[in-house]
Amino acid sequence: MSDKSSDSFDWKTLEKLLGGPLPFMAEAVKQRTQGEPSWVENYVKQILQGTSRRNTKSEIEHEIIESSNDLTVKLKLPDKVNPRSLKLLVNHNSIKLNGLFEGKSHIIRLPKPVIGESAKAVFKKGVLIVRIPKEYGGDFFNEIRIRV
């Protein structure tokens, strides 16, 4: 690309080829030209900070288990939540749990499209278990009865 030493990369030429500056690269290139050895690590941290989800008090701990035919979502609910006041809604790519503390709701994005109207839910020992067959099911939410 240029006549620079073989251990440095010509970022300016790359930006010309791509038609513009690379996102977050200005600081990384600056660190690299100053000889800072952790410039890649800092760049990766910047990217991850922009996309990471932070746990807040309203977040509900959950786990998604995928099998060949369905998705199972396990939600550990706080003790103060009454399972009879919950309303579970499912669409093709997410589930929504209404009726939580202070009228809040919780939405979980699913990794695969599902058939929302075929979902089953059961509440046992503080854990809500939702089993949903995989496949495309539409853009609307379906209400699912929770057995307690």
Side-chain angles (χ1 to χ4, degrees), residues 57-64 73-81 86 95 97 100-101 106 108 122-130:
K57 290 181 182 177
S58 65
E59 287 283 325
I60 293 178
E61 192 177 318
H62 69 272
E63 174 184 14
I64 299 175
V73 182
K74 295 181 179 182
L75 298 101
K76 184 168 180 0
L77 300 177
D79 293 334
K80 60 185 173 182
V81 173
L86 296 175
I95 63 173
L97 189 60
L100 297 171
F101 29 81
H106 184 74
I108 298 172
V122 63
F123 183 81
K124 289 183 182 177
K125 298 180 183 175
V127 178
L128 177 62
I129 302 168
V130 185

Side-chain angles (χ1 to χ4, degrees), residues 8 38 44 61 84-85 97 117 139:
S8 68
S38 62
V44 171
E61 192 177 318
R84 296 193 190 283
S85 68
L97 189 60
E117 55 270 4
D139 286 332

Side-chain angles (χ1 to χ4, degrees), residues 6-110:
S6 62
D7 65 338
S8 68
F9 187 79
D10 187 358
W11 293 102
K12 295 291 182 195
T13 304
L14 179 63
E15 287 180 343
K16 282 182 188 176
L17 289 171
L18 296 175
L22 300 170
F24 306 108
M25 281 304 293
E27 185 63 29
V29 171
K30 179 180 164 190
Q31 289 173 355
R32 178 66 176 140
T33 57
Q34 293 173 351
E36 202 171 306
S38 62
W39 74 275
V40 172
E41 183 179 327
N42 290 336
Y43 175 70
V44 171
K45 282 181 184 176
Q46 277 183 319
I47 297 295
L48 292 176
Q49 284 174 350
T51 61
S52 66
R53 293 181 67 193
R54 291 175 175 79
N55 246 353
T56 62
K57 290 181 182 177
S58 65
E59 287 283 325
I60 293 178
E61 192 177 318
H62 69 272
E63 174 184 14
I64 299 175
I65 303 163
E66 185 175 349
S67 71
S68 59
N69 296 325
D70 54 48
L71 295 176
T72 301
V73 182
K74 295 181 179 182
L75 298 101
K76 184 168 180 0
L77 300 177
D79 293 334
K80 60 185 173 182
V81 173
N82 178 3
R84 296 193 190 283
S85 68
L86 296 175
K87 184 182 258 188
L88 180 64
L89 305 165
V90 181
N91 75 3
H92 75 279
N93 66 355
S94 59
I95 63 173
K96 182 176 183 180
L97 189 60
N98 288 337
L100 297 171
F101 29 81
E102 299 175 7
K104 294 188 179 187
S105 62
H106 184 74
I107 296 177
I108 298 172
R109 299 279 176 219
L110 300 172

